Amino acid sequence: MKEENKYSLNDGVRINFNTEGKHHFLGYYDKCPWSKDGRFLLALETDFLDRLPNGRDRADIGVVDLKGDRIFRKIAETRAWNWQQGCRLQWLGPDFNTRVIFNDFRGGKFVSVILNVIFGREEKVVPFPIYDVRPDGRSALSFNFSRLDAVREGYGYKGVEDYSLAEGKLESDGIYSVDLENGTVALKISLAQLCKEYFVDSMNEGKHWADQPTLNFDGTRFAFLHRWQTKNGGMHSRLYVADLGTMKPKILLDSGMASHFAWKNNDELLIWARPAGTSASVGKTGFARKLLVPIYHKIFKSSPALRQKISGDAFLLFNLNGEPKDFAVKPEAIGRGILKEDGHCSFSPDGKRLMTDTYPEREHWRVLQILFAPEWKKLTEVGKFYSLPDEKYGTKDDWDLSNLRADLHPRFNRDGTQICIDSVHEGSRQIYVIELNGNI
């Protein structure tokens, strides 16, 4: 390993590029920031990192010419963003070279904006925000970002009050389809529908929301999470998949714990989750939770292997070839005992490498790692990165576990030769491009 003060890299890799100056990041791990031709890299730029955006704060949107001067150039700005998922900035198909789409706050509501990067002009403002876009660039999936911010602050957007949440309405919210050509929006799967079809008693304990509707590679089906608050202070997560044509949701997993997921191809879906038949909570009552949660978090930081043994959590691979039925698909555990904790997972373009990161351990280090097919037993550590920013920002030791944190959110480029991460290991929030060698 090549050692530095606040990071270390495997001997076979190097940092090819990083942003400088103000704070820069992209957001979530599920979007490739490179244009299809590999020339431009998308990024957000901000003046601060020590608080959540308040709905009035603007983030600049820009591109970096990796084959030119490598300088961040502003092309737009947004008021609909957060630290964890940015503004859902992404290249727009079918060419993934000339246009981008992102969310913004305009005229008192959240919208999405299509912008031509080459000519630097807006082509269209769509009257609804987007989450994921079909590869043909004609339609998108979305949900209620105001509701998400109310139930999980730091993951949605501030600026618009969600009256349906305040009134407890489930029939008027859920997963939406957004036509990017004519601007029409339709609720396709309601929260009320999800509750009615497979009701469990804990659904009466708290508020509900839909989360992360993510399309497969050809845009024919998507996975998403239905989540609700539980009386012990946690949340229950249920994993669904639906065909984009029929919009009929099918339950894949209902163990209560389902986290980050990624498509391997059009039919295989990977998720960090608790297998069916295991307990979904560290405490069934508020009192028990108060006693057990601090102990669980100590285990979380000190012994991922013990934590995995206790919980059973693992990366689970679902093969959805054909039309799945509720609970009918039995997953295969990938890398159990090797990948011991939740992380932001994605596959290389050829599907032969599984990349993920870790949350910080007690000394504040995050690990970037890759597991190799076909046996999924060979693990390579790409690098380690310190997870606290410079002390001048006044951040505390738990900053890297807060909603302000800078997860690595690793992303492959389009040919699998480079990785892009967000990190604060040099003191400020920046984007780093890591070049891989032929063995990684």
Side-chain angles (χ1 to χ4, degrees):
M1 300 287 286
K2 180 170 52 181
E3 298 291 337
E4 300 290 348
N5 231 1
K6 296 295 180 69
Y7 76 101
S8 64
L9 291 175
N10 189 295
D11 291 335
V13 303
R14 68 185 183 92
I15 292 178
N16 176 283
F17 164 79
N18 62 270
T19 51
E20 296 177 327
K22 294 182 179 181
H23 303 290
H24 299 89
F25 73 109
L26 181 70
Y28 223 32
Y29 67 101
D30 63 328
K31 290 298 156 206
C32 178
W34 282 270
S35 56
K36 190 172 183 178
D37 60 12
R39 178 174 179 177
F40 293 109
L41 187 78
L42 298 175
L44 295 176
E45 182 179 83
T46 67
D47 293 320
F48 64 94
L49 60 58
D50 55 350
R51 59 178 175 82
L52 292 174
N54 57 25
R56 299 181 298 276
D57 293 311
R58 297 184 183 274
D60 289 338
I61 298 170
V63 294
V64 176
D65 187 347
L66 295 173
K67 298 182 180 179
D69 56 18
R70 296 186 158 205
I71 296 174
F72 175 89
R73 278 190 167 78
K74 179 180 176 180
I75 58 173
E77 58 186 32
T78 178
R79 287 171 55 196
W81 63 281
N82 57 60
W83 294 119
Q84 301 310 311
Q85 299 195 2
C87 59
R88 298 304 295 164
L89 175 65
Q90 54 198 278
W91 292 99
L92 194 63
D95 70 337
F96 299 98
N97 271 323
T98 58
R99 300 184 300 162
V100 298
I101 187 169
F102 60 90
N103 292 333
D104 196 5
F105 178 76
R106 300 185 183 184
K109 63 181 181 180
F110 297 124
V111 300
S112 51
V113 180
I114 297 175
L115 182 141
N116 188 300
V117 175
I118 306 303
F119 296 105
R121 65 167 181 257
E122 289 185 6
E123 292 188 351
K124 187 178 297 184
V125 177
V126 181
F128 205 80
I130 56 93
Y131 189 82
D132 201 11
V133 181
R134 289 195 68 190
D136 61 9
R138 300 174 61 183
S139 63
L141 295 172
S142 192
F143 56 79
N144 187 335
F145 284 88
S146 298
R147 178 183 285 261
L148 181 59
D149 186 73
V151 294
R152 295 193 77 194
E153 187 180 31
Y155 289 84
Y157 306 145
K158 295 187 182 300
V160 179
E161 185 175 354
D162 179 29
Y163 294 102
S164 68
L165 178 67
E167 296 169 3
K169 293 182 178 179
L170 299 179
E171 64 275 3
S172 58
D173 206 351
I175 300 292
Y176 296 84
S177 175
V178 184
D179 190 312
L180 300 180
E181 296 186 320
N182 61 32
T184 57
V185 180
L187 177 64
K188 293 296 186 178
I189 301 173
S190 73
L191 294 170
Q193 173 188 348
L194 298 176
C195 290
K196 180 180 180 181
E197 290 181 355
Y198 283 97
F199 177 82
V200 293
D201 289 342
S202 65
M203 287 180 171
N204 290 326
E205 296 175 5
K207 300 183 185 304
H208 293 244
W209 67 100
D211 213 346
Q212 302 176 43
T214 304
L215 291 152
N216 65 353
F217 295 166
D218 65 5
T220 56
R221 56 163 52 126
F222 64 98
F224 69 96
L225 298 172
H226 172 206
R227 288 173 157 166
W228 59 91
Q229 298 167 333
T230 56
K231 64 183 179 182
N232 62 15
M235 69 177 177
H236 188 108
S237 297
R238 178 182 280 177
L239 175 65
Y240 282 88
V241 67
D243 183 271
L244 200 66
T246 63
M247 286 290 181
K248 294 181 179 179
K250 301 295 183 182
I251 299 175
L252 291 184
L253 186 66
D254 192 27
S255 64
M257 204 298 285
S259 186
H260 304 102
F261 60 85
W263 289 97
K264 183 185 178 188
N265 48 50
N266 289 323
D267 296 319
E268 292 181 287
L269 180 72
L270 183 80
I271 185 167
W272 179 267
R274 190 157 297 157
T278 54
S279 173
S281 175
V282 297
K284 296 297 183 183
T285 67
F287 177 74
R289 188 175 178 83
K290 282 184 178 181
L291 292 176
L292 293 175
V293 164
I295 299 172
Y296 183 78
H297 282 305
K298 284 185 179 180
I299 296 174
F300 184 97
K301 282 201 166 189
S302 62
S303 179
L306 178 58
R307 182 175 69 252
Q308 185 178 57
K309 191 172 183 179
I310 293 173
S311 68
D313 299 350
F315 280 111
L316 306 178
L317 185 66
F318 290 85
N319 190 324
L320 308 176
N321 190 20
E323 183 69 24
K325 297 180 179 180
D326 291 311
F327 305 108
V329 181
K330 303 304 179 185
E332 172 192 1
I334 298 294
R336 185 187 293 276
I338 301 172
L339 296 176
K340 303 178 181 71
E341 56 187 294
D342 189 9
H344 304 94
C345 55
S346 60
F347 288 94
S348 58
D350 61 7
K352 295 180 179 179
R353 290 168 291 167
L354 169 59
M355 175 172 63
T356 185
D357 58 357
T358 67
Y359 286 97
E361 36 79 276
R362 63 173 61 190
E363 300 300 325
H364 305 288
W365 288 87
R366 297 178 185 271
V367 177
L368 176 62
Q369 52 196 2
I370 291 178
L371 190 68
F372 292 83
E375 294 86 5
W376 303 113
K377 292 181 179 180
K378 177 188 174 184
L379 182 68
T380 294
E381 183 178 296
V382 178
K384 293 174 65 176
F385 304 87
Y386 192 66
S387 60
L388 292 179
D390 194 287
E391 293 178 355
K392 69 181 180 182
Y393 296 110
T395 54
K396 299 178 180 179
D397 273 1
D398 62 352
W399 182 90
D400 54 3
L401 290 176
S402 74
N403 290 340
L404 306 177
R405 68 186 184 274
D407 294 338
L408 296 181
H409 288 153
R411 317 147 192 114
F412 279 109
N413 68 350
R414 297 184 188 272
D415 63 9
T417 59
Q418 295 181 335
I419 296 169
C420 171
I421 63 170
D422 301 336
S423 183
V424 294
H425 65 268
E426 291 187 308
S428 58
R429 189 187 297 259
Q430 301 296 343
I431 294 174
Y432 295 82
V433 174
I434 299 172
E435 189 168 326
L436 304 176
N437 68 11
N439 298 319
I440 298 180

